[in-house]
Amino acid sequence: MNDYRYDYRTVQGFILSAMFWGVVGILLGLLISVQLWAPAANFAPYLTYGRLRPVHTNGLIFGLGVGAIFGLFYYITMRLCKRPLLFPRLARVQLWLFNAGIVAAAVSLLLGQTQSLEYAELEWPLDLAIVVLWVMLAVNVFGTILKRREEQMYVSLWYIVATVITIAILYVVNNLAVPVSLGKSYPLFAGVNSANVQWWYGHNAVGFLLTTPILAMFYYFLPKSTGLPIYSHRLSIVAFWSLIFAYLWTGAHHLVYTPLPDWIQTLAIVFTMFLIAPSWGSVVNGYYTVGQDWTRMRSNYLTKFFILGITFYGLQTVQGPTQGLRVVSQLIHFTDWVPGHVHMGTMGWVTMIICASIYYVVPRINGTELYSEKLANVHFWLVLVGQLLFSITMWITGIRQGWMWKATDEAGKLEYTFMDGVIGNYPYWHTRTLAGIIFAAGMVVFVYNVLMTIRKGRAAQAAAGSAPTTVAA
């Protein structure tokens, strides 16, 4: 079976695209972190915090995250189904449409075109383009699975199927809107219903773009990279179905103390607490898998990424439900604690697993070894230190903010003005920027290492005068 039929070129195209948009998104994140403590760094009207922040979040979620999902989903699906993609040329068209869509999305957000819904800011023409892209993915993934040459479906395929179906439903429902022009529309839902649907979408977008796809990668690439069989397939399946059952009911925990009926808030909190169990089912499975030989943490550089990644997932899935409790939410909601929580998940769990998966895939599809394991280790320590410094700083800032906003004197009057809190944030925001620089430096090392690996593979193929060969995956 030749290389083109496996369509590794499309896989690599999505990986390189994801890396490019990831760098852009991280650099924009650094800029908006500076804008928080240096207002002069805002350049109206296009390069202000209000315009750049959605470009940062959409660039990383849809550019880095979805780009990596497309490429790595195709790789995993082909390997587990033991056959090439059913429609490889459709995947190639999807790659070009994906990059054109990200460019158009960034331009539209810089122009101020937005639905004003978090993680769903894009206006209706771009929503339609995203639906087309997702249908392309669904056709290729489901078609390849239906025509698979391996009867058993490994748990990674279950996570892929759940991701494709659920994101389709979430995105279409939350983006139902009435267009009034090419660049403006109004959501179909209004008032408290709009808030409820938005956070049903928002929380599950996190679940099914930043959790289930990453678990699909984790369950596939951890055993592959360590050479250790997964500890328990039964536990992985139980955790999968429990997670899918509970996740869709949790979005309203973002709306405690709002006009949303109390019973909906409470139901969401209960399901959110339940989510700890299936999440930790995967964490325990990962620990016990590597527990068969902990020396892999020293001898195999990828093991560190996967184990630290699943550790941050475990911490995230305890911290998240705890935040949903009313007694905790009343202190930290709307404070910097929340971006600290989000960035532990995105910079720790999501990025570490995606980077480790790319480290595994790129050498194999280029028929070579990684350019430098030393650089991979440098990358690991830089992103680890940067992420920890970022998250812990934001947690401290959030508690401090919440306490200052609620403090009252003996007469019951607020003890601090809003500006007192803002001015006190500056040292923490400086540290946040420093943490971002450290993390970004790690990602630059990663990008350099991957590009040099591809170059090394091409040089070897040119010297051999042959078509690309692949290392057994």
Side-chain angles (χ1 to χ4, degrees), residues 253 256 318-326 328-329 332 337-338 341:
H253 74 217
V256 296
V318 171
Q319 190 184 60
T322 306
Q323 291 171 198
L325 297 173
R326 289 186 175 89
V328 178
S329 183
I332 54 91
W337 175 283
V338 178
H341 166 69

Side-chain angles (χ1 to χ4, degrees), residues 16 18 21 43 73 96 125 176 203 205 260 282 293 300 343 349 365 394 396 438 445 457 469:
L16 292 175
W21 294 118
F43 303 100
F73 270 18
W96 289 105
L176 291 174
H203 189 74
L260 194 72
S282 294
D293 183 5
N300 183 322
H343 283 78
W349 159 238
I365 63 180
M394 290 297 92
I396 296 171
I438 296 171
V445 172
T469 56

Side-chain angles (χ1 to χ4, degrees), residues 236-287:
S236 71
I237 294 297
V238 171
F240 167 79
W241 285 109
S242 305
L243 188 85
I244 301 305
F245 166 71
Y247 223 116
L248 289 170
W249 305 96
T250 59
H253 74 217
H254 287 263
L255 299 169
V256 296
Y257 297 118
T258 68
L260 194 72
D262 269 2
W263 72 267
I264 297 180
Q265 299 176 30
T266 303
L267 185 70
I269 293 170
V270 170
F271 274 100
T272 303
M273 297 305 292
F274 171 83
L275 266 183
I276 295 174
S279 303
W280 271 82
S282 294
V283 176
V284 169
N285 222 347
Y287 286 161

Side-chain angles (χ1 to χ4, degrees), residues 336 387-398 427-432 435:
D336 279 10
Q387 189 274 128
L388 286 174
L389 185 61
F390 189 107
S391 299
I392 294 172
T393 301
M394 290 297 92
W395 297 336
I396 296 171
T397 318
Y428 301 95
W429 286 346
H430 293 157
T431 308
R432 171 182 179 158

Side-chain angles (χ1 to χ4, degrees), residues 105-125:
V107 171
S108 74
L109 291 172
L110 290 174
L111 292 174
Q113 296 175 353
T114 174
Q115 293 187 121
S116 300
L117 297 173
E118 192 165 16
Y119 309 139
E121 289 90 347
L122 303 178
E123 279 293 352
W124 66 273

Side-chain angles (χ1 to χ4, degrees), residues 12 361-368 453-454 457-458 461 468-470:
Q12 185 158 289
V361 169
V362 167
R364 281 161 178 79
I365 63 180
N366 285 280
T368 186
T453 301
I454 295 173
R458 288 177 178 171
Q461 292 152 15
T469 56
T470 58

